[in-house]
Amino acid sequence: MKLKTLLLLLLSSVILAQSSATIISGVVQDKKSNPLPACNIYLEGTIDGAVSDNDGYFLFNSNSRGKKTLICDYLGYQSFQQEIHLNPGDTIRLVITLKESSIAGKAVTVNASVFSSGEKEGVTLTPLEVVTTPGAAADIFWAIKTFPGLQQVDEGAGLFVRGGDVTETAVIIDGAYLNHPYRYESPNGGYFGTITPFLLQETFFSSGGFSAEYGNALSGALIMESVDLPLQRQTTIGLGLAAASGSVSLPVISEKLGFSLSGNYSDTERMFKFNGHQREFSRYPQAYDLNFNGVYRYSPKGSFKLFLFRESDKVGIELQNPDENQFYRGDGLNNLANLRWRHIPSEKWYFTANLAFSNFAQNQNLGVLDLTTDERLYQARFIAEHRPNDRLTARVGVEAFRNQVLIEGQVPEDRDDISTSALPLRVDTDYLSNRIAAFLQSEIWMLDGNLKLTLGSRFERDSQSQQRLWNGRTALSYGLGNDWNAVLSAGAYHQFPRPDYYDPYIGNPSLQAMSANHYIAGIVRQTPREIFRIEAYRKDYDRLLLEDAQRNYTNNGFGFAKGLDVFYKRNWKAFLGWISYSYLDAERFWQDAPYAASPRFDITHNLTAVGELSFALRWRMGISYRYATGKPYTDGPTVYHNARTPDYHKVDANLSYVRSFFGNNMTVFYLAASNLLGRENIFDYTYSEDFQRRVAVKSSMRRSIYFGVSINF
Amino acid sequence: MRTFLTILIILITTLPAIAQTNTDSLIIQQRLALDAAVDNWNEADMRNVRATFERILPLTDKPWLAHYYIAYADYNLGLNLISQQKSEEAEKFIDDAVEHLMKAIDIDTKFAEGFALLSTCYGLKINFMPIKSIYLGPRSGVAISKALSLAPDNPRIHLIDGIGKYHSPRMFGGGIDKAKPSLEKAVELYQSFKPASALLPDWGYEGPHVWLGRIAMQEERWDDAQQHFEDALAIKPNHGLVKYVLLPKLNKSRTNEQVSR
């Protein structure tokens, strides 16, 4: 009896359901017709739906009528959508084929030639990796130099990008350009970067084809973002063989107001004495830096950030010369103040603006040369971004720069004679240039997010050259499936000579901007654990500055660079390793070159391999190997860059141990060994005037050890 | 039989359609279904409920709750997949959980339950990539302290805090000595706990007993461990981990000790 009633009840409701509902059934499969279980199939705007079973089958009914959108979602696959028409009593049968999404369910986001560091998934280097990379001395520039496309010109931090000079790479922090991002500045950049990695949240490094948002750079761009509101109070004290440092982060009002303060002082005398050194110092390198980073979040939608930075360094080092050994003395002072505003009123809009002042004052003393240069850069910027839907982003910005260079002191009358007995010439002058720029950039996603097209255009006007310039840049990324992407990029770039090159006596007032065209093609595979990239590029440089007997400089220089970059990184549970290889062929007719020849940064092969292992919870070990082809140099009076120094080899290792002694603190002990094999690398030769005698320029230390401790609480 | 099954399926799937006008009752119904799926450790059921919550999400006026339950389903699916040695797939679910929880706490910035679950998910992520612990650890810590400050009397948050401490190394403020008081606090608070609304999470009653039992086992306090496991089973008689893994292990350790004596 009971069963009968139940059946009756069931039957009647089925009839009821059938008269008013539509039955939707079908199967979900992948491209190879394999069934896909656990997919969510439903009608948009309703709760009606089902999950596919182990054979990919699903069945549900709906009381909705008329036109509806059927959606089928599955993690890691592109969402499927189809319009269906619901008539009461009908049965709809469907075969749904899902396509794999290119990167973990998201549209293509890979850009040509971009390497990034930060905490997000898929970054090339995490902040910790920057700090623990062997041989990188916890320096962001040194760590970036383990990427392909960067040439090992000397042991410094200078970013020579794909056959471009160090001055052709823009360095930007929180939207503000830093004209002198190096410490212990030298013609090859400098020995370290000024910004410590602990202050940075994210870093993007582009070795070419960068977007229209960045200008006045011919070859590369390094874009850094400083840390945001601190999450918790944290104090760090560090003590090493040559440095002492301290930092505090303090959330004053949770999620509203907070700041970080840090300072470093380094005196390398003990380190050099401990390890022994190959060159004499009249003053051992000494430096300090201070930093303040304050964030005020006035609402969940917007914030102000003030970043203040000051760095000072001095050095007195022997320059070995066959004619007369001289001491070079350099004092540098770097300041930056940047106020940035950010506002995100909705998911569709983003506004940012910043005002910045930076200056770099330097005193250089060598023989008769005694020069003080003060370069000041004032800048303002406003950027608006609109994202009307998932398929389009448009960014527009305006920028203004005022660059002032003050030079005072004495220089040798004959530019090539810097001996103490040379005739001095007094200089006291200043230069000024104003520049305005505007850019428009849009990113368009097509083919279900599988194709990303970037179109950019940049306009600049410079007061010194009276030039107006337009640059067009474009890039294309295409998802090939299985986490593979193809990238193509082409763009025009330019860079104005520094204002002092326009001096009528030592420069040329009619100079124009130098220019470069980049063409890049490559493929990338990126998963959370693995990154593989291979890229080929060609760059044509034009209107480079060429020394000229009558007019000092002209724009008659030119050159090219072409090459291939390969990068592979893999993250196992406790082991992490990456390998970079770059091939480069570059030629330039510029500066003092008498004909088109290899510039000093034409390093044919560059190889870096890094491995890091963490074990027993507390230990971490890393080892790296770097190889570079020798650098071109000139070994006679009638030739130019006709020979190469011996190849460069270097093995570095480090070891760290973490433990806590009391309460919640964390203490890290570390030991780093540089140039383990003790190879004597030669970076250049300096010749006597008649080219009869020469001295090799080597690194200042041969094999060296550094150790220290860092306490965090 | 086949037609009977079809009829049954149609009937069951019609139910949500009727309830469509009121997503609140749906959330309650699916919350209970999710708790049941977790109790039975049934992967297919968890996926079903997760999918239903995804469909509820655009319709409800309480999206943070839908995000939370999707994340809670993700979290359990992640654990389930880890136990099946499918860690790459598990990682996807934990990442998805983090994404949903971020959205939940973005909508309701005082949603303590959301912060607490987020803390656990960060903790689990460390398992997949210990190399990232240096910044996932502090994030997990910040999330749990936020949850504790928002809802100091919520037993679930103390339970999650305790589990987090159990897993973190002593040098980062963890260890079993630190975990025990949190878990004991959770036991005490669960005794009088009642969620403010049937829409809100209501799981984890057996949790503190399970973890206190594990700690007791580690400290070789066999009788205490036995008591804790029995307490857990009194609340959840079908707790698979306790019934089929922990209790047999306890008995084995005990006999081993007696044999060696």
Side-chain angles (χ1 to χ4, degrees):
Chain A
M1 178 59 207
K2 246 186 178 172
L3 192 76
K4 238 181 176 175
T5 329
L6 190 73
L7 266 176
L8 212 80
L9 222 108
L10 274 176
L11 219 72
S12 61
S13 54
V14 168
I15 292 160
L16 227 146
Q18 281 195 334
S19 60
S20 62
T22 314
I23 298 172
I24 298 140
S25 68
V27 63
V28 191
Q29 56 185 35
D30 66 7
K31 268 195 274 185
K32 290 171 199 149
S33 301
N34 298 315
L36 286 176
C39 302
N40 192 7
I41 306 108
Y42 61 100
L43 294 178
E44 193 177 41
T46 74
I47 199 72
D48 307 341
V51 173
S52 57
D53 66 12
N54 278 338
D55 301 318
Y57 285 103
F58 66 89
L59 174 97
F60 66 97
N61 68 8
S62 171
N63 289 320
S64 304
R65 292 186 188 181
K67 233 195 239 169
K68 283 274 166 196
T69 306
L70 180 111
I71 298 177
C72 175
D73 283 332
Y74 187 49
L75 214 61
Y77 285 80
Q78 288 174 26
S79 177
F80 170 92
Q81 294 197 359
Q82 188 183 326
E83 294 244 305
I84 55 169
H85 207 87
L86 289 95
N87 287 321
D90 276 9
T91 302
I92 297 174
R93 280 181 224 286
L94 294 159
V95 176
I96 299 173
T97 308
L98 288 188
K99 278 188 259 174
E100 249 181 283
S101 52
S102 31
I103 302 165
K106 290 186 191 83
V108 169
T109 51
V110 174
N111 293 318
S113 307
V114 171
F115 292 88
S116 59
S117 141
E119 293 182 3
K120 288 185 192 146
E121 290 296 344
V123 297
T124 337
L125 216 57
T126 66
L128 183 70
E129 287 163 30
V130 171
V131 178
T132 56
T133 301
D139 187 277
I140 186 94
F141 287 70
W142 285 31
I144 280 170
K145 282 178 78 176
T146 64
F147 292 152
L150 286 144
Q151 276 74 45
Q152 193 78 38
V153 172
D154 66 358
E155 292 208 294
L159 301 177
F160 289 85
V161 181
R162 286 182 173 172
D165 189 50
V166 66
T167 57
E168 296 167 3
T169 299
V171 177
I172 298 153
I173 180 158
D174 291 336
Y177 285 70
L178 276 179
N179 275 354
H180 295 271
Y182 299 103
R183 181 173 299 195
Y184 305 122
E185 252 214 0
S186 73
N188 286 340
Y191 205 65
F192 290 112
T194 46
I195 307 287
T196 61
F198 302 102
L199 300 176
L200 300 176
Q201 183 148 313
E202 274 178 281
T203 309
F204 299 91
F205 173 69
S206 169
S207 52
F210 45 92
S211 86
E213 193 176 338
Y214 309 106
N216 207 35
L218 283 185
S219 299
L222 176 67
I223 299 128
M224 302 180 277
E225 293 286 325
S226 69
V227 287
D228 218 345
L229 266 179
L231 291 172
Q232 55 191 148
R233 195 186 66 84
Q234 217 168 44
T235 311
T236 308
I237 294 170
L239 208 59
L241 184 56
S245 62
S247 75
V248 189
S249 348
L250 207 63
V252 182
I253 306 170
S254 174
E255 271 157 49
K256 226 171 165 61
L257 181 68
F259 65 85
S260 329
L261 253 175
S262 73
N264 274 294
Y265 172 75
S266 66
D267 184 345
T268 56
E269 184 172 348
R270 247 173 327 216
M271 179 184 80
F272 279 109
K273 285 192 169 154
F274 179 81
N275 288 299
H277 45 93
Q278 313 217 25
R279 280 195 266 173
E280 289 305 311
F281 290 98
S282 61
R283 289 190 307 184
Y284 286 93
Q286 247 181 34
Y288 76 80
D289 64 70
L290 286 169
N291 168 78
F292 171 85
N293 186 0
V295 182
Y296 171 59
R297 200 175 280 170
Y298 55 83
S299 87
K301 291 178 170 162
S303 64
F304 284 101
K305 185 196 267 184
L306 179 67
F307 188 89
L308 301 175
F309 177 81
R310 183 185 182 89
E311 185 268 338
S312 160
D313 57 71
K314 30 184 173 191
V315 63
I317 189 168
E318 177 190 29
L319 296 186
Q320 288 151 332
N321 187 307
D323 296 326
E324 180 191 1
N325 269 8
Q326 288 175 303
F327 279 93
Y328 166 82
R329 260 174 40 138
D331 287 17
L333 179 69
N334 235 314
N335 290 305
L336 168 71
N338 185 23
L339 179 67
R340 177 159 73 169
W341 166 73
R342 277 208 275 200
H343 193 77
I344 308 169
S346 71
E347 278 188 10
K348 295 190 168 170
W349 288 95
Y350 169 72
F351 300 105
T352 179
N354 73 315
L355 269 177
F357 166 75
S358 64
N359 91 310
F360 173 71
Q362 188 185 32
N363 178 266
Q364 292 168 288
N365 185 306
L366 178 65
V368 73
L369 177 90
D370 185 1
L371 206 61
T372 303
T373 323
D374 186 356
E375 198 177 330
R376 299 170 186 179
L377 182 65
Y378 304 82
Q379 48 191 311
R381 174 175 296 98
F382 175 78
I383 295 170
E385 188 181 288
H386 185 42
R387 202 183 279 259
N389 52 50
D390 287 350
R391 296 177 300 280
L392 178 72
T393 305
R395 212 164 217 246
V396 48
V398 284
E399 299 177 307
F401 299 88
R402 183 183 179 85
N403 196 354
Q404 193 177 13
V405 182
L406 302 134
I407 300 173
E408 199 204 328
Q410 60 179 36
V411 294
E413 214 175 46
D414 173 4
R415 208 186 307 186
D416 297 320
D417 183 7
I418 45 166
S419 61
T420 28
S421 55
L423 280 173
L425 182 73
R426 276 223 57 87
V427 283
D428 182 0
T429 177
D430 64 305
Y431 308 95
L432 185 70
S433 80
N434 293 315
R435 190 158 58 85
I436 50 166
F439 67 85
L440 173 67
Q441 160 142 318
S442 53
E443 291 179 338
I444 306 152
W445 281 268
M446 289 175 279
L447 307 175
D448 300 327
N450 259 331
L451 181 76
K452 185 177 102 172
L453 175 68
T454 309
L455 291 171
S457 177
R458 188 176 174 88
F459 167 79
E460 295 222 1
R461 189 185 178 284
D462 170 67
S463 68
Q464 282 277 9
S465 63
Q466 301 283 336
Q467 251 182 309
R468 282 192 176 83
L469 278 173
W470 282 98
N471 281 164
R473 296 173 197 176
T474 177
L476 202 67
S477 323
Y478 181 67
L480 303 167
N482 290 329
D483 303 314
W484 284 93
N485 282 281
V487 289
L488 277 175
S489 167
Y493 297 81
H494 69 261
Q495 186 171 345
F496 292 100
R498 240 181 28 207
D500 44 314
Y501 280 91
Y502 290 90
D503 182 288
Y505 302 103
I506 56 164
N508 180 353
S510 59
L511 286 180
Q512 301 244 298
M514 305 169 277
S515 71
N517 288 320
H518 297 191
Y519 309 95
I520 302 161
I523 48 169
V524 183
R525 180 183 148 87
Q526 188 154 347
T527 66
R529 279 166 200 281
E530 210 175 13
I531 303 168
F532 174 75
R533 275 171 181 258
I534 179 160
E535 271 183 5
Y537 61 89
R538 156 116 202 166
K539 298 195 283 186
D540 290 310
Y541 291 91
D542 203 6
R543 296 197 308 233
L544 295 175
L545 298 190
L546 183 69
E547 288 181 12
D548 185 274
Q550 272 85 48
R551 292 171 293 171
N552 299 314
Y553 290 100
T554 67
N555 273 112
N556 293 338
F558 58 85
F560 74 84
K562 59 183 183 201
L564 188 77
D565 290 345
V566 184
F567 181 71
Y568 179 73
K569 181 182 171 191
R570 163 98 210 198
N571 209 329
W572 285 267
K573 252 190 153 181
F575 180 78
L576 153 84
W578 69 94
I579 185 159
S580 300
Y581 167 76
S582 303
Y583 166 79
L584 169 70
D585 177 18
E587 242 178 58
R588 277 193 182 202
F589 178 45
W590 78 319
Q591 291 185 345
D592 60 341
Y595 42 80
S598 285
R600 69 201 152 101
F601 40 81
D602 175 33
I603 311 293
T604 317
H605 305 284
N606 255 284
L607 179 81
T608 309
V610 181
E612 286 176 36
L613 178 73
S614 50
F615 56 99
L617 200 66
R618 295 165 188 272
W619 292 89
R620 207 178 170 98
M621 201 187 98
I623 189 155
S624 73
Y625 168 68
R626 278 158 238 252
Y627 165 82
T629 309
K631 193 171 95 176
Y633 72 96
T634 305
D635 77 348
T638 55
V639 285
Y640 184 78
H641 284 187
N642 60 316
R644 279 183 188 269
T645 59
D647 290 352
Y648 172 86
H649 296 271
K650 193 162 175 259
V651 176
D652 300 316
N654 63 20
L655 184 69
S656 62
Y657 173 74
V658 185
R659 68 161 297 166
S660 67
F661 291 97
F662 54 89
N664 260 354
N665 82 359
M666 182 166 91
T667 306
V668 184
F669 297 91
Y670 58 89
L671 173 72
S674 174
N675 198 9
L676 261 183
L677 304 181
R679 184 186 157 88
E680 195 168 69
N681 286 308
I682 293 170
F683 299 110
D684 206 351
Y685 295 99
T686 36
Y687 279 87
S688 60
E689 211 159 329
D690 56 5
F691 278 91
Q692 291 306 306
R693 288 161 296 134
R694 72 175 189 185
V695 180
V697 179
K698 302 169 201 158
S699 57
S700 43
M701 283 186 288
R702 208 155 156 178
R703 184 186 286 120
S704 65
I705 301 283
Y706 193 86
F707 50 86
V709 59
S710 162
I711 307 162
N712 192 305
F713 53 93
Chain B
M1 192 60 198
R2 214 185 155 82
T3 38
F4 181 74
L5 265 179
T6 320
I7 291 163
L8 210 73
I9 288 169
I10 292 170
L11 261 179
I12 291 163
T13 47
T14 323
L15 275 175
I18 295 159
Q20 163 177 354
T21 43
N22 187 352
T23 51
D24 280 7
S25 58
L26 245 176
I27 290 176
I28 296 167
Q29 177 207 342
Q30 292 299 313
R31 173 181 76 73
L32 293 168
L34 181 54
D35 287 346
V38 172
D39 287 349
N40 299 326
W41 211 229
N42 185 322
E43 189 195 329
D45 288 353
M46 290 183 206
R47 284 184 190 265
N48 269 320
V49 179
R50 188 192 176 284
T52 312
F53 273 116
E54 272 198 334
R55 301 197 290 263
I56 293 172
L57 185 58
L59 306 175
T60 176
D61 58 343
K62 298 181 181 68
W64 66 94
L65 285 176
H67 281 303
Y68 176 87
Y69 289 117
I70 293 171
Y72 182 52
D74 279 340
Y75 163 73
N76 282 294
L77 279 162
L79 292 178
N80 191 301
L81 289 161
I82 292 170
S83 67
Q84 298 177 45
Q85 311 285 329
K86 294 180 187 164
S87 82
E88 285 220 2
E89 212 186 326
E91 206 177 334
K92 277 188 201 165
F93 277 99
I94 300 302
D95 285 346
D96 192 63
V98 169
E99 237 174 82
H100 279 286
L101 289 167
M102 295 292 249
K103 283 178 188 152
I105 58 176
D106 214 40
I107 301 166
D108 180 0
T109 52
K110 294 196 161 45
F111 188 32
E113 298 272 5
F115 283 102
L117 191 56
L118 182 64
S119 166
T120 309
C121 290
Y122 279 138
L124 267 176
K125 273 176 76 91
I126 296 176
N127 256 321
F128 299 121
M129 273 198 210
I131 216 141
K132 287 190 178 173
S133 61
I134 200 111
Y135 57 88
L136 287 173
R139 277 189 193 177
S140 174
V142 166
I144 195 70
S145 3
K146 179 98 189 173
L148 279 168
S149 70
L150 287 169
D153 295 327
N154 184 324
R156 209 168 1 267
I157 292 164
H158 291 274
L159 167 65
I160 287 175
D161 189 23
I163 299 173
K165 283 175 176 157
Y166 177 90
H167 285 296
S168 12
R170 254 226 301 279
M171 61 176 151
F172 302 119
I176 51 177
D177 303 341
K178 293 264 166 65
K180 237 191 285 177
S182 302
L183 295 167
E184 279 158 3
K185 177 98 183 163
V187 173
E188 183 199 317
L189 288 169
Y190 263 127
Q191 276 164 7
S192 56
F193 179 73
K194 229 185 121 50
S197 137
L199 288 160
L200 293 171
D202 195 21
W203 53 270
Y205 288 81
E206 79 293 357
H209 297 292
V210 178
W211 289 94
L212 284 168
R214 291 177 93 158
I215 291 173
M217 233 164 99
Q218 260 172 294
E219 294 175 340
E220 303 188 355
R221 293 183 284 112
W222 312 122
D223 292 339
D224 290 350
Q226 179 87 31
Q227 186 57 51
H228 282 302
F229 291 149
E230 277 168 14
D231 287 347
L233 286 179
I235 298 165
K236 286 274 151 70
N238 288 320
H239 199 288
L241 183 71
V242 176
K243 216 166 156 181
Y244 304 115
V245 183
L246 294 173
L247 267 177
K249 208 168 143 192
L250 173 68
N251 290 331
K252 213 175 146 190
S253 311
R254 237 182 188 165
T255 21
N256 281 350
E257 201 186 61
Q258 279 162 359
V259 166
S260 65
R261 266 185 206 156

